[in-house]
Amino acid sequence: MLSPRALRAHLLVARLAGTVATTRERSLSRYRMFAARDPRALIGLEPEYDWCFDELLQLMGQKCGVSADPARTSGQDVIDPDRTIAALDAFADRLATVAATGAPVLIGTGHPHRLLGFYAALAAGLSAAGCGVLTPAQGRSVDITTRFGVRTYNLDYVRGVALMREPGARAPRSEPGAHTHSPLPVRVALGAAADSGGPLPALVIGDHGWVCAAGQLGFEAIGLADSDDPAPFVGEAEGRVSVVVPLDDAVRSDYYRPLTRYVLNRACLSQ
């Protein structure tokens, strides 16, 4: 098993934690958007508390390790690797619990270019442990608002992981899916599962809107989030998201493999 010390070293070298590529300017902008309740920053969460900018900054300092000093307005964000490891431990423990019961899970990502391999390995491990990996609403069209206007995407599943594709894009190797923060895909998937009378997930695993919207609907949700996405961490603080792992969610896909091994080993899901 990869030791916490070795994992910590990898997080820093790969810039998954420590000094990350996410800029301070972008993070502060997203915090202000969230405080203004901009749907682009809420990504499916409806906060119970009226979070102001300063409170969000303090929260992100506690959850991620970013600077809580409002006077620091430029440069790169810093994510505390020890907070990342502690959250990965909690994340793995939730996987172990659901695997022990064989309960169904739903896995989805808005970062398929980077994180598909990470989530697919979790899907394989959970499936081998007897969990049903759900694939509701496969092929369903979803209209998502983007900076280019409303665009139609199709909900697809690759190796048990939900993602969005542009219509006509079908080859996973050449087109791994679209980047999106939208909460609509998980709402569509969960709605289809409920309408069909099929099983509902005991746990939703993912990022962006997959975690926030699932938690908002009352499903247990765990996932990954960057320092410029306050919504999952607010969801965790308010009790609607179980675990959020702070890390850079847009580095090279192979850099997540040690995290995959660490989580699967801790959860006793290694194949």
Side-chain angles (χ1 to χ4, degrees), residues 18-19 40 62 75 79 102 124 163 188 195 200 212 224 260 262:
T19 301
R40 294 172 296 174
Q62 295 167 8
I79 294 176
L163 50 82
V188 168
D195 290 345
L200 294 173
C212 291
L224 315 178
T260 305
Y262 182 86

Side-chain angles (χ1 to χ4, degrees), residues 143-194:
D143 293 331
I144 296 176
T145 300
T146 73
R147 58 179 175 167
F148 305 108
V150 176
R151 291 192 170 182
T152 300
Y153 295 87
N154 294 331
L155 179 59
D156 197 8
Y157 290 85
V158 176
R159 295 155 58 195
V161 182
L163 50 82
M164 303 308 295
R165 293 191 190 279
E166 294 186 8
R170 297 294 305 172
R173 293 182 182 177
S174 60
E175 200 283 319
H179 174 229
T180 178
H181 287 70
S182 176
L184 295 179
V186 72
R187 290 174 182 165
V188 168
L190 292 171

